[in-house]
Amino acid sequence: MVKKKTELSYEEANMEIQRILDRLESGEIAMDHIIQEVERATELIHYCKSKLHQISDKLKQSFEPDTQQINEK
Amino acid sequence: MQEAISLYQLNQYIKQVIAVNFDEAIWIRCELASVRFNKGHVYLELVENNPMNTQVIAQLSAVIWAGDYLRISGKMEGQIIQLLKQGAEVQLLVELQFHERYGFKLNIRDIDLYFALGKLEIQRREIMLRLQQEELIDKNKKINIPLVPQKIAVISSSTAAGYADFMAHIENNVFKYDIQATLFPASMQGDKAASDIIRQLSKIDIAKYDCVVIIRGGGSKLDLADFDSYELGKHIAEFKLPVLTGIGHEIDVSIADLVANRSFKTPTAVADFLLTNMRNFDLMLKEYHSAIYQISHEIVSQAENNLTQQLIDLNWKIRHFSTSSLEKLANIEFQLKVVVRKRLDSAFDKLNHQLKSLDHLDYQQVLKRGYTITSDSNGNAIKFSRSMKVGQNMITWFQDGKINSKIENIIPNG
């Protein structure tokens, strides 16, 4: 049972991508299913990339150079 | 009736005797039994004690006239009031004077500063030894100065120059750190200094402050003696907060400085020290901040690179897969062709071979019947006489062999 794309965690998506790659390598995938699998892998890669971009943006926001005074200890 | 001189004459005589024998001032050593100031003059009782039983064995009154006092005071870096303490042992330059009316008086013209300093130094060393033996010298130093000391108890005099400097430095610090300094006023000079400071120390609520700073502006070696008290040293050493001193002395270090957590040459040096510590902490935080960002950024970058790599990998695998499948098919196709070709070729060969066999069999039957077959020298059967020429070689085939002959003439039919 394949989880819907939007529910997957980053790590889960990553693992699935690697699984598909490995199966392509070993020739396990039936000819008829190849297109399907490749499309799924590509989709997952783009999903992961967009997650990374979100994280990167948040990082930039949180860590703006800080010129606050030291106030209470 | 006796011969008598007048009292005045006697005193005059005594006066002359003394004047003649003591025409110059002399240095004496004694102890000050009492010191009294009045209208700018200083009246003292000088004594010497029997070292065994501390009984007084010599005593004289002495005076420092206002003019002399000002002069001596001006000569010394600080006030001579430090030296004129009851109980102090001093060396004095005195003029003996005998006045007919007022009697014998010592006129103090000068005070031996180095003797006094020597005494002070000896005292200081004794106190230092005592504090060392009681393991108090390092006690306050064992308390760690907080990284960010923002609440400071300042023991100083509000009129002391050092205090104003310190506060200016702290409150208007260039880094804009928020520091609160609370004054616990004490006299920073004279007899009262040590006891004032001790009293103020006891008033400081250690829960509300990060450290204590004792400061005053510059002074002389003599002034420093105010801070050489054993009691003061003990109180500072045992205080539960770090105590920093900036008592403003170029070279010497007082007892208070010795026992303090850290001592500095000036009040502003203390301020700078505190600010520098805070600044270092601030910078360290910024560094950590920066490092966290860097590392996080790298992790994300790395992950992104991995994904890109996977994408490339995927593409490559697909291409490779389809290329290799096509190759396989082409291979099969080729093999198919080869196999078929082979089969066909082999079939043709077989047929040819059969045909040849057939041919061969056929003409043997003819020969057996007694016929001959004529062929050219290549074995090709000749069916027409006109296809030969005179002089050409020909072969005649019999059932039992062949005869080679040469054509003599050719006679066509008709």
Side-chain angles (χ1 to χ4, degrees), chain B residues 31-258:
Chain B
E31 196 181 301
L32 303 180
S34 73
V35 180
R36 185 172 59 90
F37 290 80
N38 190 14
K39 295 181 183 164
H41 310 302
V42 191
Y43 300 94
L44 310 95
E45 279 302 310
L46 310 180
V47 296
E48 185 175 331
N49 292 321
N50 181 335
M52 301 296 170
N53 52 26
T54 68
Q55 271 192 336
V56 175
I57 57 175
Q59 183 168 358
L60 270 181
S61 300
V63 64
I64 310 178
W65 297 119
D68 287 318
Y69 183 75
L70 284 173
R71 177 179 47 82
I72 300 169
S73 211
K75 207 173 59 143
M76 299 185 179
E77 293 134 34
Q79 296 158 295
I80 64 176
I81 200 161
Q82 305 297 326
L83 302 175
L84 299 176
K85 290 185 182 151
Q86 181 178 351
E89 205 186 318
V90 289
Q91 284 187 178
L92 306 167
L93 184 64
V94 296
E95 280 174 355
L96 279 70
Q97 281 187 348
F98 187 84
H99 192 272
E100 300 90 336
R101 168 93 206 266
Y102 300 106
F104 199 61
K105 206 128 205 168
L106 290 183
N107 225 346
I108 298 174
R109 305 315 300 263
D110 205 354
I111 304 178
D112 189 340
L113 181 61
Y114 295 105
F115 177 80
L117 289 178
K119 287 243 139 268
L120 286 176
E121 189 57 37
I122 291 171
Q123 263 181 355
R124 186 182 300 150
R125 270 173 223 251
E126 279 169 2
I127 295 177
M128 192 163 76
L129 271 172
R130 191 173 163 199
L131 289 169
Q132 251 171 12
Q133 276 162 359
E134 294 174 7
E135 296 185 355
L136 291 177
I137 302 268
D138 291 331
K139 198 159 178 187
N140 195 266
K141 295 178 180 61
K142 294 198 174 121
I143 305 176
N144 285 327
I145 302 176
L147 281 172
V148 185
Q150 285 185 281
K151 299 190 189 85
I152 306 174
V154 179
I155 299 180
S156 188
S157 157
S158 56
T159 54
Y163 174 69
D165 286 342
F166 179 83
M167 293 307 278
H169 240 69
I170 289 284
E171 283 175 350
N172 302 326
N173 72 83
V174 67
F175 308 121
K176 299 213 183 342
Y177 297 145
D178 180 17
I179 305 173
Q180 284 147 12
T182 308
L183 177 65
F184 288 77
S187 127
M188 298 304 278
Q189 258 185 355
D191 293 351
K192 295 260 179 292
S195 53
D196 269 7
I197 295 172
I198 292 172
R199 190 174 43 247
Q200 292 295 46
L201 275 174
S202 68
K203 286 192 185 159
I204 296 172
D205 180 352
I206 58 175
K208 294 201 175 129
Y209 293 94
D210 297 321
C211 65
V212 176
V213 165
I214 302 178
I215 49 171
R216 64 149 215 185
S220 70
K221 285 183 193 246
L222 297 173
D223 291 343
L224 215 56
D226 296 331
F227 298 91
D228 281 341
S229 129
Y230 167 78
E231 282 304 317
L232 180 59
K234 188 166 150 88
H235 275 85
I236 291 175
E238 292 179 336
F239 201 69
K240 299 284 181 248
L241 290 178
V243 178
L244 310 178
T245 57
I247 303 181
H249 199 274
E250 286 304 309
I251 305 158
D252 278 353
V253 163
S254 69
I255 293 292
D257 290 320
L258 276 175

Side-chain angles (χ1 to χ4, degrees), chain A residues 25 34 38 53 69 71, chain B residues 150 176 210 304 317-318 321:
Chain A
E25 179 88 47
I34 286 190
V38 168
H53 285 150
Q69 269 187 337
N71 289 318
Chain B
Q150 285 185 281
K176 299 213 183 342
D210 297 321
E304 206 164 357
K317 280 192 165 63
I318 293 308
F321 186 83

Side-chain angles (χ1 to χ4, degrees), chain A residues 35-68:
Chain A
I35 300 283
Q36 201 180 327
E37 294 289 299
V38 168
E39 275 176 359
R40 174 116 183 114
T42 312
E43 204 179 32
L44 286 169
I45 289 178
H46 287 308
Y47 172 66
C48 286
K49 277 207 166 175
S50 87
K51 271 210 163 177
L52 284 183
H53 285 150
Q54 278 176 36
I55 294 171
S56 188
D57 286 342
K58 276 224 179 78
L59 268 181
K60 282 208 183 77
Q61 279 172 29
S62 315
F63 289 94
E64 291 292 24
D66 195 10
T67 49
Q68 292 292 322

